[in-house]
Amino acid sequence: MNSPVLVINCGSSSIKYALIDSDPEAPRLAGLAERLGSSEARLKGKNSAGESFTQALPNADHAEALNSILKRLEGRVPGAVGHRIVHGGEHFTRAALIDENVIAAIESTATLAPLHNPANLAGVAATQKVFPDLPQVAVFDTAFHQTLPPRAYRYALPDALYTKHGIRRYGFHGTSHAYVSQRAGELSHRGAGGWLTAHLGNGCSTSAVWNNQSQDTSMGLTPLEGLVMGTRSGDVDPGLHAHLHRQLGWSVDEIDSVLNQQSGLLGLSGLTNDMREVEDQALNGHPGAKLALEVFCYRIAKSLAALSCALPKLDGVVFTGGIGENSPIVRREVIALLPHFGFSLDKAANEGTTRGKEGRLNSTDHNGPEVWVIPTDEEGRIAMETRHCVESPE
Ligand code: ADP
């Protein structure tokens, strides 16, 4: 398929899009329709000359926003649409050509991702209306982690909770972990082998990848488990929920909202969920910001050390996501907490990388595991998987 792929990431009030050519170097048309359904709805993006635009779309719904996006594609006609779908449960181990059965399977998984899957499906329905003749492909955040062995995906809970209710660890950010681990294998002379990946954005997760297959990951049933994130707590004592309910009288919804929206960097610093600001304030000596940075880095290091148990050997660690790609401080602190792994971070390389650039951060004569920064490309990976699925469906 030579035509470009339109990648769609549909939220409840937003649509992120990118038109991606078969030549990965070709410029992309990309943008974001946001605040859909409100009087402030708008479409922002870049044209092929790299110029930014903003267009008001008052009260537009998803289908209207898609029609406006279509007009921004500069006459280029996509050959397929790739949809990011958050949760594929155990149904999907790879991308799937969307038909009625696939939609029913995604619907049946909606209890596991009540905020995301219905919004993703609304995007599929709206796209089908606008492009009735194009093949549509579902690419799942969870699919890459379907290679986890039971020892990694099972919680130590009564069996029926897994067999009857699907309660297990699924993992997320799969397209990102898949992309950067594969890329590390291509860039490093070590090839595909044992890579630890740290996707550090607003959401954060780690993964252990052996021969391009995920062996373990830090997120679980939901994207709340694991690392400290912008506003999410990550791991807490599972007894916390009962404690907060019994001692403070909090409802399930209140507990859920505190752990998802008021915790993480924001909760610890008392200031912000934005790592740039946390770093600035920590450098100014703000105690909350210093603590937030310390806990954030310690928990990443602890998670990477734990995940190393999933790998027969360790070839290196890859940092990605807004923080992983741009924060020399976080990379330095995390690596400093893992002295027994034999990493060796080159100070100049760590401080010299700039956003958008791939780079190895250890000296070339170093024999221990490597350290890489690899900018993630979730849209590119979704386009690649979509293309593959359309060309060779199962
Ligand atoms: P999302 O998960 O929403 O895609 P990103 O991957 O863009 O988010 O990551 C956002 C995070 O990256 C924010 O915490 C932001 O502060 C952080 N970030 C971006 N640039 C820098 C930088 N130069 N230094 C430190 N953190 C940065």
Side-chain angles (χ1 to χ4, degrees):
M1 190 178 77
N2 286 324
S3 337
V5 170
L6 180 62
V7 174
I8 296 284
N9 181 353
C10 201
S12 55
S13 62
S14 68
I15 304 175
K16 220 170 151 185
Y17 73 92
L19 188 72
I20 301 186
D21 216 77
S22 53
D23 169 8
E25 302 301 320
R28 295 176 183 182
L29 296 172
L32 170 72
E34 59 186 354
R35 303 180 195 166
L36 297 176
S38 82
S39 57
E40 282 154 21
R42 59 183 184 176
L43 175 64
K44 295 191 308 189
K46 281 202 172 148
N47 64 19
S48 53
E51 293 155 357
S52 304
F53 63 83
T54 304
Q55 177 187 349
L57 299 174
N59 303 314
D61 62 11
H62 285 78
E64 285 163 327
L66 271 168
N67 274 312
S68 302
I69 289 170
L70 188 61
K71 293 186 190 124
R72 296 285 175 177
L73 301 184
E74 301 180 1
R76 292 164 69 193
V77 183
V81 183
H83 292 270
R84 176 189 181 211
I85 309 284
V86 167
H87 218 308
E90 287 187 328
H91 299 284
F92 300 104
T93 56
R94 45 167 286 179
L97 202 53
I98 296 179
D99 60 15
E100 280 171 22
N101 294 333
V102 168
I103 291 183
I106 298 171
E107 274 167 356
S108 74
T109 313
T111 49
L112 294 169
L115 295 180
H116 294 105
N117 274 22
N120 298 157
L121 280 175
V124 171
T127 316
Q128 281 173 332
K129 246 195 233 166
V130 178
F131 301 107
D133 301 325
L134 286 188
Q136 316 252 345
V137 173
V139 182
F140 301 91
D141 257 21
T142 49
F144 180 61
H145 300 301
Q146 279 296 304
T147 48
L148 258 59
R151 69 176 187 185
Y153 73 69
R154 287 295 298 271
Y155 292 114
L157 292 169
D159 196 53
L161 286 177
Y162 169 59
T163 50
K164 293 212 177 92
H165 301 287
I167 293 178
R168 51 159 284 178
R169 307 184 64 253
Y170 289 96
F172 298 87
H173 291 142
T175 46
S176 179
H177 291 295
Y179 174 78
V180 299
S181 55
Q182 184 180 338
R183 197 73 195 116
E186 290 162 3
L187 292 167
S188 164
H189 71 281
R190 290 160 181 261
W195 293 94
L196 293 172
T197 51
H199 176 105
L200 311 174
N202 279 312
C204 300
S205 66
T206 48
S207 182
V209 185
W210 176 249
N211 270 333
N212 294 319
Q213 300 213 315
S214 178
Q215 299 300 310
D216 201 353
T217 188
S218 61
M219 283 178 167
L221 175 73
T222 74
L224 183 56
E225 189 177 331
L227 304 179
V228 172
M229 314 184 205
T231 61
R232 284 174 249 170
S233 63
D235 290 341
V236 291
D237 181 340
L240 177 69
H241 297 69
H243 180 84
L244 292 175
H245 176 64
R246 291 193 192 114
Q247 301 304 320
L248 304 184
W250 290 9
S251 69
V252 170
D253 286 344
E254 281 171 311
I255 297 169
D256 201 45
S257 142
V258 167
L259 296 184
N260 276 292
Q261 282 136 34
Q262 297 166 44
S263 299
L265 294 175
L266 173 66
L268 281 167
S269 69
L271 292 173
T272 174
N273 64 334
D274 189 304
M275 181 52 96
R276 281 165 291 206
E277 214 179 317
V278 169
E279 287 184 356
D280 287 348
Q281 292 302 325
L283 288 174
N284 286 340
H286 185 283
K290 278 165 79 178
L291 180 68
L293 189 57
E294 223 175 285
V295 177
F296 182 81
C297 295
Y298 179 67
R299 291 272 292 275
I300 296 166
K302 194 162 133 175
S303 173
L304 292 172
L307 287 189
S308 71
C309 299
L311 299 175
K313 79 177 164 75
L314 178 59
D315 288 296
V317 62
V318 183
F319 289 95
T320 194
I323 300 171
E325 291 163 31
N326 295 300
S327 172
I329 298 178
V330 168
R331 295 191 297 252
R332 185 190 68 213
E333 294 304 310
V334 170
I335 294 299
L337 287 161
L338 299 165
H340 39 299
F341 280 72
F343 293 117
S344 149
L345 194 65
D346 182 283
K347 190 168 180 283
N350 184 42
E351 285 166 16
T353 49
T354 49
R355 191 173 177 90
K357 292 240 174 77
E358 295 170 328
R360 186 172 45 207
L361 304 186
N362 53 272
S363 57
T364 35
D365 57 359
H366 168 68
N367 287 327
E370 299 182 338
V371 183
W372 284 85
V373 171
I374 300 181
T376 196
D377 185 10
E378 289 169 283
E379 277 105 4
R381 174 86 189 188
I382 292 173
M384 190 269 277
E385 290 192 29
T386 299
R387 218 171 267 289
H388 191 254
C389 188
V390 170
E391 285 164 2
S392 50
E394 261 181 319

